[in-house]
Amino acid sequence: MSDVLKQAVPQEEYSDRLRRVRVAMAARDFGALVVTDPANLFYLTGYDAWSFYTPQCLVIPADAEPHLFARAMDAAGATFTCNLRAEQIHGYPEDLVQRPDVHPFDWIAAAARELIPGDADVGIEGDSHFFSARAYLALAAGLPGHRLIDSAELVNWVRLVKSPHELGQLRIAGRIAEQAMRIALDQLRPGRRQCDLVAEILAAQAIGTPEHGGDYPAIVPMLPTGEAAGTPHLTWTDRPFRTGEATTIELAGAFGRYHAPLARTVMLGDPPQRLTETAKVVAEGMQAALGAIRPGVSGGAVHAAFNAVIAAHGLVKESRIGYSIGIGYPPDWGERTVSLRPGETTVLTAGMAFHVILGMWMDGWGYELSEPVVVTPAGVERLTDLPQELTIRR
Amino acid sequence: MSDVLKQAVPQEEYSDRLRRVRVAMAARDFGALVVTDPANLFYLTGYDAWSFYTPQCLVIPADAEPHLFARAMDAAGATFTCNLRAEQIHGYPEDLVQRPDVHPFDWIAAAARELIPGDADVGIEGDSHFFSARAYLALAAGLPGHRLIDSAELVNWVRLVKSPHELGQLRIAGRIAEQAMRIALDQLRPGRRQCDLVAEILAAQAIGTPEHGGDYPAIVPMLPTGEAAGTPHLTWTDRPFRTGEATTIELAGAFGRYHAPLARTVMLGDPPQRLTETAKVVAEGMQAALGAIRPGVSGGAVHAAFNAVIAAHGLVKESRIGYSIGIGYPPDWGERTVSLRPGETTVLTAGMAFHVILGMWMDGWGYELSEPVVVTPAGVERLTDLPQELTIRR
């Protein structure tokens, strides 16, 4: 069985995670919490499979053991990757899958009813990617007498400060990210198709290091090129790279579901002056942002430190310059908790991890530079080690 | 602009797709439909980006032009990949992203209100993966006086029968799947780490063919090995393959977001008799299933044809043996409409496409064989061409 486990989390650490979730539940007076985010399931139980496209959840009663509910064929596999006993794992019948008339959460609600005390409030994960409107309505209908209350990312917030084990996973992910980016920066050439470069990046992400094979990142490599570089989130095509064009590359290294994302920009040929200048300003801004990160500082203050630098050069960035990272599943490697942006009052503490991403998306061109980092007692630790500059290939 | 378009769908085809959606809307008396499934957005507008981790939707009024709503930084990029005019694309402010107190769908509801006639019913996609409970509740609160009605995969059903253009995309996806599977079957060797084999599969998927670069599949390669082969949906580890173990491999070729999934099983060393026999029975069952597929036959009848064959050998499979395929985004390459299973009354017609997947997940071992196919006027067309047998490597 241990053969298929991706990581060995000490049982005491699982217990501690659950204990901290229960403390947060008690503060909200939840009689139970229904966890649907795959990253939260993994954090609390180690359950890891590509099964989140059908409904699944962990029901955590305030005063009893948690129970996992999944499609029958996946419940069977759950024993391979999760720390629950067989009695805590329940498979719903196959004929409930993807039907318009019935929903797996009808069955889950009926089965979970006896786990939930009296008329207790039940916390749900309102913005979990795979907790659909129909799932929510079925759960609500199946739990009459209970109020469903949005937990507001309760478990995600518990994940915010990483344990030594988790920091170790992040450092390995960082090495994988650095290696994949080195290959990307080295192999991007005029005339090569975007998809062929992506093939090398994907291979490097999976191979990882000789000691630690790579896991799948929550997001595929993104490399908007030419005028598309002015917009984020475009995936690749089979068009060849051309001299005179810049490409922004965003990718991640992943290990045991932990992510270290990383972004750089490559120019084929002589860069236009605006790109050279932006790269210089952004590098200075990165120093300011990383220099501001330390325990006791707010997320908003980090954003302000960056903006003060670029404002001096006539630039402005309204969107956030970073977000908390850790465990990730498609479609996102962010934790959906702390953002580095104006108004973010959360104070940084040692053990938090962030993707500091400076994306300057202009009209028809763009520049990206990012660093995955950990907050340390003394300041900041970078998870990768690559020059913070525009790569120019002539 | 055309540089970054992944495919050139004729404008008349987009018009026809929208027209058929409107016919289905009229049958349900919807005054508007809110489309959130990324595959449906792509089908109706060509919009394609990894932006679905934040809220986005297409609002289709019954009698007016559709409008796309996305995060501001993605709305800017939408012009690169979608067929809407700039006036039809609306970006919500960055400071609404991932906050507990406000939600992008508050803003979207307010902006969409004037597009929706009087007290009309509004269709929503209740089980769309990225339409969260919180999004649903925000939309409902922002559209007082309107009933939100689950559309029951309305657009997905419109996608069921493929156009000649779409069949062309699927055939290319099939060639990519076949090529990736050939590499997987050839390169799986004792002592190699699972992640290193996956690296070759991922590279083959991205490279595609010299004429057609591969797109990213909605699901990563899955290859449960050894006793884990008794369960589906486990992703890879860095453990080496070992002689004496079987591995089931499920992967897809993807082109322009169209998917051809494919599964095979590899045995390292001499197969146990139960595996050899199961492979033989399943191959016979596949012939029966493919032989049953033709216009006029129900999805349930295809399942019955398969089960009749395996029942004669003392085997039984309760779960579905296939589902409709076409456009896919993470986390699923299925269309969530027709399943090949008992009770499926939908009658097959030419132009439908299916992944016929025969997964026998036993206690501690398993066997998988699948074919992506298209229903033709005369019967069935396979999208790949590989032997339907257990691969044995000694």
Side-chain angles (χ1 to χ4, degrees), chain B residues 83-112:
Chain B
N83 73 345
L84 304 175
R85 289 173 294 106
E87 307 87 81
Q88 293 169 270
I89 302 173
H90 310 275
Y92 58 77
E94 179 65 25
D95 60 10
L96 295 180
V97 172
Q98 295 179 1
R99 295 201 101 103
D101 49 338
V102 288
H103 195 278
F105 262 99
D106 298 332
W107 191 94
I108 292 171

Side-chain angles (χ1 to χ4, degrees), chain A residues 50 127 129 132 134 150 233, chain B residues 74 127 129 132 134 150 233:
Chain A
W50 195 288
D127 237 7
H129 284 112
S132 70
R134 199 182 294 165
D150 198 326
H233 305 145
Chain B
D74 294 314
D127 237 8
H129 285 111
S132 70
R134 199 182 294 165
D150 198 326
H233 303 145

Side-chain angles (χ1 to χ4, degrees), chain A residues 194-209:
Chain A
Q194 292 178 10
C195 58
D196 296 331
L197 180 70
V198 166
E200 298 205 42
I201 296 171
L202 292 169
Q205 288 172 318
I207 290 169
T209 72

Side-chain angles (χ1 to χ4, degrees), chain B residues 36-343:
Chain B
T36 45
D37 181 329
N40 292 341
L41 290 177
F42 179 72
Y43 183 72
L44 293 174
T45 73
Y47 180 61
D48 181 29
W50 196 288
S51 56
F52 37 86
Y53 69 93
T54 51
Q56 54 184 27
C57 69
L58 185 73
V59 176
I60 308 176
D63 300 310
E65 284 188 321
H67 285 250
L68 180 71
F69 297 86
R71 184 179 179 180
M73 66 170 69
D74 294 314
T79 54
F80 285 99
T81 61
C82 95
N83 73 345
L84 304 175
R85 289 173 294 106
E87 307 87 81
Q88 293 169 270
I89 302 173
H90 310 275
Y92 58 77
E94 179 65 25
D95 60 10
L96 295 180
V97 172
Q98 295 179 1
R99 295 201 101 103
D101 49 338
V102 288
H103 195 278
F105 262 99
D106 298 332
W107 191 94
I108 292 171
R113 217 172 289 152
E114 63 190 60
L115 299 173
I116 301 171
D119 55 357
D121 285 351
V122 175
I124 55 115
E125 301 188 317
D127 237 8
S128 164
H129 285 111
F130 305 113
F131 186 54
S132 70
R134 199 182 294 165
Y136 168 79
L137 294 171
L139 183 66
L143 294 178
H146 295 277
R147 286 193 309 166
L148 302 194
I149 311 280
D150 198 326
S151 76
E153 286 72 44
L154 185 152
V155 180
N156 304 56
W157 283 95
V158 169
R159 284 161 47 200
L160 188 54
V161 175
K162 273 69 187 171
S163 71
H165 165 80
E166 292 184 286
L167 294 175
Q169 304 290 91
L170 279 169
R171 289 186 187 109
I172 296 167
R175 286 206 293 279
I176 296 172
E178 180 182 319
Q179 187 165 302
M181 185 60 85
R182 279 189 201 283
I183 287 172
L185 297 178
D186 188 57
Q187 295 296 319
L188 197 156
R189 303 284 168 81
R192 286 199 81 179
R193 300 184 305 172
Q194 292 179 10
C195 57
D196 296 331
L197 180 71
V198 166
E200 298 205 43
I201 296 172
L202 292 169
Q205 288 172 318
I207 290 168
T209 71
E211 301 77 30
H212 299 108
D215 204 348
Y216 63 90
I219 307 179
V220 296
M222 293 185 287
L223 32 73
T225 299
E227 69 171 334
T231 182
H233 303 145
L234 293 186
T235 53
W236 68 85
T237 72
D238 53 13
R239 176 168 102 56
F241 294 104
R242 293 177 192 151
T243 299
E245 285 183 348
T247 300
T248 59
I249 303 173
E250 188 174 351
L251 56 76
F255 180 72
R257 303 308 324 133
Y258 285 81
H259 283 66
L262 188 62
R264 287 293 184 274
T265 302
V266 188
M267 179 70 209
L268 288 180
D270 293 322
Q273 196 183 351
R274 66 186 183 192
L275 189 58
T276 314
E277 284 170 5
T278 300
K280 197 165 156 292
V281 173
V282 168
E284 202 183 315
M286 179 63 86
Q287 288 310 311
L290 298 190
I293 292 178
R294 58 182 175 277
V297 165
S298 75
V302 178
H303 187 273
F306 169 73
N307 253 344
V309 167
I310 67 169
H313 297 275
L315 291 174
V316 64
K317 179 167 168 68
E318 289 174 6
S319 58
R320 62 184 184 176
I321 62 159
Y323 46 81
S324 181
I325 53 170
I327 301 166
Y329 279 87
D332 196 3
W333 54 45
E335 286 189 320
R336 296 188 287 117
T337 50
V338 180
S339 288
L340 305 179
R341 63 179 162 194

Side-chain angles (χ1 to χ4, degrees), chain A residues 118-121 140 143-147:
Chain A
D119 56 356
D121 285 350
L143 294 178
H146 295 278
R147 285 193 310 166

Side-chain angles (χ1 to χ4, degrees), chain A residues 170 290 293 325 352-356 371-375 380-383:
Chain A
L170 279 169
L290 297 190
I293 293 178
I325 52 170
M352 292 184 187
F354 291 95
H355 183 211
V356 180
E371 294 294 344
V373 300
V374 169
V375 184
V380 72
E381 170 191 342
R382 284 173 60 184
L383 294 170

Side-chain angles (χ1 to χ4, degrees), chain A residues 133-171:
Chain A
R134 199 182 294 165
Y136 167 80
L137 294 172
L139 183 66
L143 294 178
H146 295 278
R147 285 193 310 166
L148 302 193
I149 311 281
D150 198 326
S151 76
E153 286 73 45
L154 184 152
V155 180
N156 304 56
W157 283 95
V158 169
R159 286 162 46 202
L160 187 54
V161 175
K162 274 69 188 172
S163 72
H165 165 81
E166 293 185 284
L167 294 176
Q169 304 290 91
L170 279 169
R171 289 185 187 109

